[in-house]
Amino acid sequence: MRYLSFLISTLMTLGLRAQSGQPTYKDSAFVNALLLQHNTYRAAQQLPQLTWSNDLAADAKAWAVHLAAIDKGDHDQRIRGREGENIWWGTAGAFSYTDMVSFWGSEKKDFVYDVFPNCRKGKSVVGHYTQVIWKNTTSVGCALASNGQTDYLVCRYSPAGNIIGQKPY
């Protein structure tokens, strides 16, 4: 039993997850990996760290399960103005949690400091990145769901970022 616990703990630390399709938002390795990756981008801009919110994670879980069921990435329009949201999806089991958040962070290359939505080069997308680094955002909660073919990561943020006419920080 002790060996089994050690093995499971080791696998989770390495960023691997069970392919059960269940959101893992209460798993400490999941939470720590997502917070660390979010806060790495925030630290680069000298912004306060985000804290984990179980309430936001529960909201994210419900939406991630929904997305996995319909097999489509789509934003939850019901939360507009109340919570921010980032969505990632990709081949089931092929990406680490760090890879998922780094996808949003990679938008930094097209980011230009200005008011939202003018903080981008040309027509590029930076809204995921700006939500991660939005100065007034203090908490995040995420969940992962899978339908066996596609993993869906949903992160919810409070207060919501990407406010039109405001600068990210």
Side-chain angles (χ1 to χ4, degrees):
M1 184 65 167
R2 198 179 293 201
Y3 175 74
L4 181 58
S5 294
F6 172 76
L7 180 62
I8 291 171
S9 174
T10 301
L11 288 174
M12 292 310 293
T13 301
L14 292 173
L16 302 175
R17 59 192 175 280
Q19 296 301 307
S20 65
Q22 297 302 310
T24 55
Y25 74 95
K26 291 185 178 180
D27 179 279
S28 62
F30 175 79
V31 170
N32 292 336
L34 287 166
L35 270 178
L36 177 64
Q37 195 62 18
H38 274 85
N39 287 327
T40 297
Y41 290 108
R42 293 178 67 82
Q45 301 303 328
Q46 300 177 337
L47 297 168
Q49 292 189 348
L50 295 177
T51 60
W52 188 259
S53 166
N54 286 328
D55 290 340
L56 290 172
D59 290 351
K61 174 186 174 185
W63 194 246
V65 168
H66 170 75
L67 294 178
I70 65 169
D71 198 23
K72 180 181 176 187
D74 203 6
H75 285 285
D76 184 350
Q77 298 303 318
R78 299 170 302 169
I79 63 156
R80 267 207 157 165
R82 292 186 301 118
E83 296 175 357
E85 180 179 69
N86 276 344
I87 300 171
W88 175 95
W89 64 93
T91 304
F95 299 88
S96 71
Y97 307 136
T98 300
D99 291 337
M100 296 172 188
V101 177
S102 293
F103 178 80
W104 302 326
S106 70
E107 294 175 0
K108 180 180 181 179
K109 70 185 179 320
D110 295 315
F111 173 75
V112 176
Y113 187 73
D114 200 350
V115 297
F116 189 84
N118 302 332
C119 48
R120 61 187 176 171
K121 295 177 185 172
K123 296 194 182 285
S124 58
V125 175
V126 298
H128 304 97
Y129 172 70
T130 54
Q131 175 57 83
V132 169
I133 62 157
W134 201 264
K135 181 181 181 177
N136 294 335
T137 298
T138 58
S139 57
V140 62
C142 306
L144 182 73
S146 182
N147 59 23
Q149 294 188 2
T150 306
D151 286 341
Y152 291 87
L153 175 70
V154 176
C155 290
R156 297 281 177 91
Y157 303 86
S158 183
N162 294 349
I163 309 297
I164 294 174
Q166 291 185 12
K167 292 186 176 182
Y169 54 88

